[in-house]
Amino acid sequence: MASYMRLGSIPRKRHIAHRREGGYRGEGIYYEEVVTTAGFGRAYSICYHLRPPTRVRKVEAAGTVNIETASEPVLRHHHVKTKDLKPAGNVITGRVPLFVNDDVIMSRCRPAQAQTELYRNGAADEVIFVHQGKGILHSMFGLLPFKPFDYIVIPHCTTYRVEFESGVQPDLLVFEARGNIVVPARYLNPDGQIRLGAPYSERDFHGPREIATVDREQDTTILIKDESRLTRYTLADHPFDVVGWDGMVYPFTFNADDFEPITGTVHQPPPIHQTFDAPGFVICTFAPRMLDTHPDAIKVPYAHSNVQADEVLYYVRGHFGSRRGVEESSLTLHPRGIPHGPHPGTIVNSRSMTRTDELAVMMDTIKPLALTRQALEMDDPQYPYSWLE
Ligand SMILES: [Fe+2]
């Protein structure tokens, strides 16, 4: 969860009338909507609408999102190359799912069209990692600008529209998390503040910059996803009619280049790269950093068996010191049950290096991941043998 924030006009206390002249049906108030997480037990925000947010005119079935998982007869490493992924659909419909389990869906997305219809994920927090592209996420919380290498964290039930600046093909990595995306508990002190020494601070998180109240009493559709089901709601007015809000639930950005890497005299384990926590998985940022300084340090990771974890790395930018053959937009999946490690030659090649310019995003899941049909189509079947030479 993000820290407490307030924007726009709110009354002095919760749950009292926020008065205005006239207003909807002359009732003289703004209409409160409490947006909660974990029932009413965890973080929440309170928003004030021009009109009640419940005025639904039509509910229609809008199909299903079918994820085709591939059947895999063997346990093996994968290298999925997405560099040549063709732009398709929009920021919602253009998502190509690659790795899935009960807790998370990881997709790549190169939208070809603008998102014209509002969208809301009713069953998942979403994280959109912006590999390329710049723009504004519009929601009832206001305008949230984003730029390359931002993680855009969008809580469950945030109705939104993403608007990209023209000129650059947007390129995205998308996580849909069944649970809530949070700052790891070990980064927080007992007072709820991010500890000194954590790889980021509150200043690195950016919420909506300004309120952008849409006062439009005309039918507006929202595509709502809950699990695989899609429903189209027609509201009697525009849902971004919020004049103010406060709380700890809102979309925000964190830029991967603001991640302060933790380094040592010898290799530090992957949890030091952890950026977000979610039930069943973590998201980590491998940011540019100094390499280990011990005179005998081995500067690439040791071979490791990820017992009880599947590990996906998405290669974003720079030279990847421990891997050969990976390129920008490659994804590797190193599953539980078998070891993986640096490629031959990379230990020696790294000896004279003092820093790495690599930027990569990692997802470690507790439950095994299934590959989708699309992931298998872009997979290099020779990758499991790439440690031989
Ligand atoms: Fe690994």
Side-chain angles (χ1 to χ4, degrees):
M1 285 309 127
S3 52
Y4 176 82
M5 188 177 160
R6 61 183 282 177
L7 263 187
S9 167
I10 58 174
R12 192 179 63 80
K13 283 178 71 68
R14 292 176 289 191
H15 320 319
I16 63 171
H18 187 5
R19 298 201 185 281
R20 62 177 296 200
E21 285 295 311
Y24 176 68
R25 291 188 172 181
E27 289 180 332
I29 57 166
Y30 296 108
Y31 295 85
E32 192 177 24
E33 179 188 4
V34 182
V35 180
T36 69
T37 50
F40 289 84
R42 298 283 299 266
Y44 65 91
S45 287
I46 302 180
C47 308
Y48 293 87
H49 292 267
L50 295 177
R51 303 175 189 88
T54 44
R55 302 176 66 228
V56 178
R57 206 180 281 292
K58 203 190 294 179
V59 180
E60 300 166 281
T64 52
V65 178
N66 291 316
I67 294 184
E68 301 168 61
T69 52
S71 98
E72 286 191 276
V74 297
L75 173 69
R76 69 168 173 91
H77 298 310
H78 292 276
H79 177 188
V80 175
K81 297 182 175 187
T82 64
K83 190 165 63 91
D84 298 324
L85 194 69
K86 299 256 181 309
N90 64 32
V91 68
I92 310 302
T93 61
R95 296 177 184 183
V96 178
L98 299 177
F99 305 106
V100 301
N101 67 17
D102 289 344
D103 299 314
V104 63
I105 303 168
M106 181 194 260
S107 306
R108 290 276 286 121
C109 182
R110 284 186 174 149
Q113 302 142 14
Q115 180 193 347
T116 51
E117 184 174 47
L118 300 177
Y119 169 76
R120 171 185 181 100
N121 195 328
D125 272 20
E126 295 188 353
V127 178
I128 300 176
F129 177 77
V130 183
H131 191 157
Q132 262 183 201
K134 195 176 176 192
I136 305 263
L137 181 129
H138 298 255
S139 75
M140 71 173 172
F141 298 98
L143 306 181
L144 179 66
F146 63 83
K147 60 182 189 291
F149 315 119
D150 271 351
Y151 294 94
I152 312 172
V153 179
I154 309 168
H156 278 64
C157 293
T158 304
T159 301
Y160 70 84
R161 181 174 68 83
V162 180
E163 183 181 13
F164 291 99
E165 284 184 10
S166 58
V168 175
Q169 170 62 52
D171 193 9
L172 313 168
L173 179 71
V174 183
F175 303 80
E176 290 174 57
R178 183 169 284 195
N180 299 120
I181 300 284
V182 297
V183 166
R186 70 178 190 282
Y187 292 172
L188 300 173
N189 64 28
D191 307 296
Q193 189 178 15
I194 297 173
R195 287 177 190 274
L196 291 169
Y200 46 63
S201 79
E202 282 82 358
R203 294 185 201 180
D204 299 317
F205 290 80
H206 306 282
R209 190 168 292 172
E210 58 184 288
I211 282 285
T213 314
V214 180
D215 181 3
R216 199 181 298 155
E217 194 162 9
Q218 67 182 46
D219 288 5
T220 307
T221 64
I222 306 178
L223 185 66
I224 300 181
K225 182 181 182 208
D226 70 310
E227 307 293 349
S228 61
R229 181 171 54 187
L230 295 172
T231 308
R232 179 163 288 108
Y233 265 65
T234 304
L235 302 184
D237 40 52
H238 200 288
F240 298 171
D241 64 339
V242 166
V243 297
W245 61 271
D246 76 339
M248 293 174 68
V249 176
Y250 54 87
F252 62 89
T253 62
F254 169 73
N255 193 274
D257 282 326
D258 285 330
F259 190 89
E260 288 297 326
I262 294 164
T263 58
T265 62
V266 295
H267 183 69
Q268 301 296 300
I272 57 126
H273 303 285
Q274 189 177 355
T275 309
F276 297 114
D277 208 3
F281 76 102
V282 298
I283 297 174
C284 301
T285 305
F286 287 74
R289 61 194 178 279
M290 296 301 293
L291 289 170
D292 320 318
T293 53
H294 189 285
D296 289 328
I298 292 177
K299 298 178 182 175
V300 293
Y302 32 72
H304 46 288
S305 287
N306 293 2
V307 177
Q308 297 173 326
D310 276 16
E311 176 189 311
V312 176
L313 257 177
Y314 177 68
Y315 301 86
V316 180
R317 191 183 72 198
H319 172 75
F320 305 104
S322 64
R323 297 259 91 81
R324 289 189 328 205
V326 301
E327 55 198 17
E328 280 194 13
S329 303
S330 280
L331 293 115
T332 53
L333 167 63
H334 299 131
R336 75 223 169 274
I338 44 177
H340 67 280
H343 273 125
T346 57
I347 293 178
V348 171
N349 290 346
S350 68
R351 260 182 208 153
S352 59
M353 290 167 60
T354 55
R355 55 177 294 115
T356 171
D357 61 350
E358 72 183 18
L359 178 64
V361 173
M362 186 174 82
M363 171 176 81
D364 259 20
T365 65
I366 294 170
K367 293 179 192 151
L369 287 164
L371 265 78
T372 62
R373 171 185 58 78
Q374 296 95 324
L376 211 58
E377 284 169 5
M378 294 184 276
D379 180 50
D380 173 8
Q382 295 305 311
Y383 181 64
Y385 312 116
S386 61
W387 282 267
L388 270 179
E389 298 300 328

